[in-house]
Amino acid sequence: MCLLNLVTIGGGELGKFDDESECLVTISLKVMDFKDVSLSRLIEIRQKENSATGVYLRELRRNYLKKIEEYADQIRQVKRVQDIEEIKRVFEQNMRTDFDLLRDELKDEAQKVIFSNEMAAAVVGLVGSVLQPAIAPIGIGTGAALYRKRVEYRAARNKTLRGHPMSWLYSMKKIQMI
């Protein structure tokens, strides 16, 4: 019953959720080492989905559930226990790979920001404005450049998240509630 809540808290639809789906959700939770995510965090994320800024979270959840349903359908179609175990093994391997790729892509996006020309200019501008306060207008331009980089990073991060089924689980552990 607890895993059903993962889907239905906050008004989600149950869909084709059954024993096969529950088993696959359990596997994906194991991949994420989900022990330290509280039920209150889950409720917080599900409530955020209903806000104007949380629409992308709803899309992440739907992508995740679509992947669960895809593998659950495969399990339902086979008759041999060995085939079921193989599908589960492949699912776990694919979710681990997806999670690793997701982390790497997000790390790359962050490094693009850190090592960008705008960030270098911002550091120089901030240091300059501290050493010579008379050039404060450079500090204002620096703030604008940093804000632009923040917006670009968030857009790139959200695009990356949309491309990975494990993003919804990842978001429960990593994405700050804004």
Side-chain angles (χ1 to χ4, degrees):
M1 187 65 165
C2 180
L3 294 177
L4 295 178
N5 288 335
L6 187 66
V7 177
T8 59
I9 287 175
E13 296 177 12
L14 195 55
K16 297 184 201 174
F17 207 83
D18 55 13
D19 290 343
E20 289 82 13
S21 300
E22 186 170 338
C23 178
L24 295 171
V25 167
T26 302
I27 290 169
S28 63
L29 293 175
K30 184 176 86 175
V31 167
M32 284 293 301
D33 188 26
F34 218 70
K35 294 178 280 195
D36 60 341
V37 176
S38 68
L39 183 58
S40 62
R41 175 69 173 161
L42 174 61
I43 292 169
E44 189 179 10
I45 292 277
R46 294 290 283 134
Q47 288 172 338
K48 182 164 174 63
E49 284 183 23
N50 295 324
S51 72
T53 60
V55 173
Y56 78 96
L57 286 170
R58 187 176 320 124
E59 183 180 349
L60 298 181
R61 179 177 47 83
R62 288 179 178 160
N63 289 342
Y64 169 70
L65 293 176
K66 189 179 346 176
K67 189 57 75 173
I68 295 291
E69 287 178 7
E70 177 186 315
Y71 278 87
D73 286 344
Q74 288 179 27
I75 290 173
R76 284 185 211 99
Q77 293 174 10
V78 298
K79 302 292 183 213
R80 295 179 354 163
V81 174
Q82 295 89 347
D83 295 337
I84 292 171
E85 292 306 313
E86 178 62 11
I87 291 169
K88 289 177 185 178
R89 187 193 67 74
V90 168
F91 173 78
E92 182 174 2
Q93 181 180 8
N94 287 343
M95 293 301 100
R96 283 187 192 285
T97 300
D98 183 68
F99 177 60
D100 290 342
L101 288 172
L102 172 63
R103 280 192 322 205
D104 288 346
E105 288 177 35
L106 290 173
K107 195 181 307 178
D108 290 346
E109 290 300 331
Q111 287 175 351
K112 284 181 193 175
V113 171
I114 291 170
F115 297 111
S116 68
N117 292 336
E118 291 88 352
M119 189 61 78
V123 169
V124 169
L126 288 173
V127 169
S129 68
V130 169
L131 297 176
Q132 292 184 336
I135 58 172
I138 293 176
I140 294 169
T142 299
L146 288 176
Y147 181 76
R148 191 178 116 229
K149 273 317 226 189
R150 178 179 180 254
V151 169
E152 289 174 2
Y153 168 72
R154 289 176 63 116
R157 181 197 70 197
N158 289 345
K159 182 179 179 184
T160 298
L161 289 169
R162 283 191 302 270
H164 294 274
M166 289 295 283
S167 294
W168 188 62
L169 294 180
Y170 177 84
S171 69
M172 285 186 228
K173 290 181 83 169
K174 301 294 182 183
I175 293 178
Q176 303 245 336
M177 299 303 286
I178 297 173

